[in-house]
Amino acid sequence: MRGLVYILFFLSGGSTLKFEDHGYTDLLVTVSPDINPDQAAVIIENIKSFIEAGSDTLYSSSRGWAYLRSVRILIPTDWTDVDATTVDGIVYEDGDIRINTKSGVYGNSPFTVQTGGCGD
């Protein structure tokens, strides 16, 4: 794998993420086209584990009030060795959570993009 992968949390105005009956639905995780497909299966399994652990933590910390009900993972089109369904109209930038290569600013640490100033 070329470099390490980092996670970018980003909630966009165009997100389809919904909260219904204590469950978040349609969380979209996108994988950057810059990530080498050689480790595709491992990366996908790691994303699944990350999401499961996050849902478990959300559920326990909210005392059973919230969890992640449904998640979609968008992979690059050159990841041909992965069994996946083709979709149209969704791109990397649409992701609620974006998986990318190491950041020049943040390194391997997860970070969020804030579109407003502090406190907005």
Side-chain angles (χ1 to χ4, degrees), residues 7-9 17 24-31 43-59 66-74 96-99:
I7 301 168
L8 168 65
F9 297 94
L17 182 65
Y24 286 95
T25 60
D26 294 330
L27 175 69
L28 178 61
V29 178
T30 57
V31 179
I43 291 170
I44 291 170
E45 285 306 311
N46 286 343
I47 291 170
K48 289 178 181 179
S49 295
F50 170 78
I51 294 297
E52 276 186 36
S55 184
D56 290 345
T57 300
L58 177 61
Y59 185 80
Y67 65 100
L68 299 175
R69 179 176 300 159
S70 65
V71 177
R72 297 174 296 153
I73 302 173
L74 180 72
D96 299 307
I97 298 175
R98 300 177 188 170
I99 310 297

Side-chain angles (χ1 to χ4, degrees), residues 38-117:
D38 293 346
Q39 297 289 323
V42 172
I43 291 170
I44 291 170
E45 285 306 311
N46 286 343
I47 291 170
K48 289 178 181 179
S49 295
F50 170 78
I51 294 297
E52 276 186 36
S55 184
D56 290 345
T57 300
L58 177 61
Y59 185 80
S60 64
S61 64
S62 68
R63 297 185 177 145
W65 191 76
Y67 65 100
L68 299 175
R69 179 176 300 159
S70 65
V71 177
R72 297 174 296 153
I73 302 173
L74 180 72
I75 59 172
T77 55
D78 65 342
W79 286 23
T80 55
D81 290 341
V82 176
D83 184 25
T85 303
T86 303
V87 295
D88 291 321
I90 302 174
V91 295
Y92 170 72
E93 288 77 13
D94 293 336
D96 299 307
I97 298 175
R98 300 177 188 170
I99 310 297
N100 205 337
T101 56
K102 182 177 175 179
S103 167
V105 176
Y106 302 103
N108 292 322
S109 300
F111 63 92
T112 61
V113 174
Q114 297 178 354
T115 56

